Amino acid sequence: MAKEIAEQAQERPQLQVDDSNVVATYANFCRVTGTPEELIVDFGLNPQPMGVPTEPIPVQQRIVVNFYTAKRLYQALGLTLQRHEKAFGILEVDVNKRVRRQ
Protein backbone atom coordinates (compact mmCIF):
# COMPACT_ATOMS: atom_id res chain seq x y z
CA MET A 1 0.00 0.00 0.00
CA ALA A 2 2.75 2.47 0.96
CA LYS A 3 4.60 1.60 -2.24
CA GLU A 4 1.48 2.39 -4.32
CA ILE A 5 1.07 5.78 -2.61
CA ALA A 6 4.74 6.62 -3.19
CA GLU A 7 4.42 5.66 -6.87
CA GLN A 8 1.28 7.81 -7.26
CA ALA A 9 3.05 10.75 -5.65
CA GLN A 10 5.94 10.39 -8.10
CA GLU A 11 3.54 10.29 -11.06
CA ARG A 12 1.86 13.60 -10.12
CA PRO A 13 3.44 16.59 -11.80
CA GLN A 14 4.90 19.17 -9.44
CA LEU A 15 3.13 22.52 -9.53
CA GLN A 16 5.19 25.61 -10.08
CA VAL A 17 3.97 28.78 -8.40
CA ASP A 18 5.15 32.30 -9.20
CA ASP A 19 4.71 34.35 -6.04
CA SER A 20 7.00 37.20 -7.08
CA ASN A 21 4.08 39.69 -7.15
CA VAL A 22 2.28 38.56 -4.01
CA VAL A 23 1.11 41.17 -1.51
CA ALA A 24 0.85 40.00 2.10
CA THR A 25 -2.01 41.29 4.24
CA TYR A 26 -2.71 40.61 7.91
CA ALA A 27 -6.27 39.83 9.02
CA ASN A 28 -7.77 39.06 12.41
CA PHE A 29 -11.34 38.88 11.08
CA CYS A 30 -12.99 36.79 8.40
CA ARG A 31 -16.55 36.37 7.22
CA VAL A 32 -17.76 33.52 5.02
CA THR A 33 -20.80 33.88 2.79
CA GLY A 34 -21.73 32.30 -0.47
CA THR A 35 -24.04 31.37 -3.27
CA PRO A 36 -24.95 27.90 -4.54
CA GLU A 37 -21.96 28.13 -6.91
CA GLU A 38 -19.30 30.03 -4.97
CA LEU A 39 -17.92 30.68 -1.52
CA ILE A 40 -16.98 34.26 -0.61
CA VAL A 41 -14.41 34.83 2.14
CA ASP A 42 -13.85 38.41 3.32
CA PHE A 43 -10.78 39.33 5.38
CA GLY A 44 -10.30 42.45 7.46
CA LEU A 45 -8.62 44.01 10.43
CA ASN A 46 -10.80 44.36 13.51
CA PRO A 47 -9.34 47.25 15.52
CA GLN A 48 -11.38 46.19 18.57
CA PRO A 49 -10.82 42.43 18.96
CA MET A 50 -12.30 42.29 22.48
CA GLY A 51 -16.09 42.50 22.78
CA VAL A 52 -18.48 43.60 20.08
CA PRO A 53 -16.94 46.18 17.73
CA THR A 54 -18.60 49.59 17.88
CA GLU A 55 -17.38 50.58 14.39
CA PRO A 56 -17.74 48.65 11.12
CA ILE A 57 -14.82 46.31 10.41
CA PRO A 58 -13.12 47.36 7.17
CA VAL A 59 -12.87 44.42 4.76
CA GLN A 60 -9.63 44.69 2.78
CA GLN A 61 -9.51 41.42 0.86
CA ARG A 62 -12.20 39.24 -0.70
CA ILE A 63 -11.48 35.77 -2.04
CA VAL A 64 -14.13 34.06 -4.18
CA VAL A 65 -13.71 30.33 -4.82
CA ASN A 66 -15.81 27.48 -6.10
CA PHE A 67 -16.78 24.76 -3.64
CA TYR A 68 -14.20 22.30 -4.97
CA THR A 69 -11.40 24.75 -4.26
CA ALA A 70 -13.02 25.58 -0.88
CA LYS A 71 -12.95 21.90 0.07
CA ARG A 72 -9.28 21.57 -0.90
CA LEU A 73 -8.53 24.69 1.17
CA TYR A 74 -10.52 23.26 4.10
CA GLN A 75 -8.52 20.03 3.96
CA ALA A 76 -5.17 21.84 3.67
CA LEU A 77 -6.00 24.19 6.55
CA GLY A 78 -7.23 21.30 8.71
CA LEU A 79 -4.05 19.31 8.16
CA THR A 80 -1.89 22.35 8.85
CA LEU A 81 -3.78 23.16 12.07
CA GLN A 82 -3.51 19.55 13.25
CA ARG A 83 0.25 19.63 12.73
CA HIS A 84 0.56 22.97 14.54
CA GLU A 85 -1.50 21.82 17.53
CA LYS A 86 0.46 18.59 17.75
CA ALA A 87 3.69 20.58 17.93
CA PHE A 88 2.58 23.56 20.02
CA GLY A 89 -0.67 22.64 21.78
CA ILE A 90 -4.36 23.31 21.29
CA LEU A 91 -5.33 26.68 19.84
CA GLU A 92 -8.06 28.34 21.92
CA VAL A 93 -10.21 30.44 19.58
CA ASP A 94 -12.20 32.15 22.36
CA VAL A 95 -10.13 35.28 23.06
CA ASN A 96 -11.74 35.67 26.49
CA LYS A 97 -10.34 32.30 27.55
CA ARG A 98 -6.85 33.26 26.32
CA VAL A 99 -6.65 36.59 28.11
CA ARG A 100 -5.24 36.45 31.62
CA ARG A 101 -7.28 38.48 34.03
CA GLN A 102 -5.27 40.83 36.26
Side-chain angles (χ1 to χ4, degrees), residues 12 15 37 39 41 63-81 83:
R12 278 191 249 164
L15 295 176
E37 293 86 22
L39 199 63
V41 186
I63 307 295
V64 181
V65 296
N66 62 47
F67 279 91
Y68 296 99
T69 301
K71 187 161 187 179
R72 288 189 291 271
L73 176 61
Y74 167 76
Q75 291 170 335
L77 288 173
L79 180 60
T80 302
L81 288 168
R83 288 178 182 164

